Amino acid sequence: MATTPYLLQRGSTWSWRRRVPEFSTKTRHWQLSLRTTDRSIACIIARRLNDEWDRMLDALADGKLPPPTPRPD
């Protein structure tokens, strides 16, 4: 069985977790519940999230997305 990067199982539910680069936020990881217990569905969702995540980071590195603005406290 092939592995899908950034896919993990917590209990019976699948989650997606990626490291956040230091330049974007102070949060070190983003983790989302995929809200499914079916591994095949989780793999599909995780691959889509990985593609979007990579596109977003490429756009940010190329200057096509503005850097995050600090939130007022």
Side-chain angles (χ1 to χ4, degrees):
M1 181 181 325
T3 61
T4 301
Y6 313 110
L7 184 64
L8 61 110
Q9 191 174 20
R10 295 192 60 166
S12 61
T13 304
W14 290 94
S15 295
W16 173 84
R17 182 177 165 137
R18 284 285 299 252
R19 185 182 152 287
V20 178
E22 290 287 329
F23 64 85
S24 64
T25 66
K26 294 192 186 271
T27 303
R28 297 191 186 231
H29 289 92
W30 278 7
Q31 183 167 333
L32 300 172
S33 171
L34 301 181
R35 298 179 185 220
T36 184
T37 56
D38 186 329
R39 186 180 190 286
S40 61
I41 292 172
C43 287
I44 293 167
I45 297 168
R47 276 182 269 169
R48 289 181 182 172
L49 285 170
N50 286 332
D51 288 344
E52 288 301 317
W53 181 262
D54 292 339
R55 277 191 216 139
M56 182 186 69
L57 288 181
D58 288 345
L60 187 61
D62 292 342
K64 294 178 183 172
L65 288 178
T69 56
R71 293 190 307 177
D73 291 325

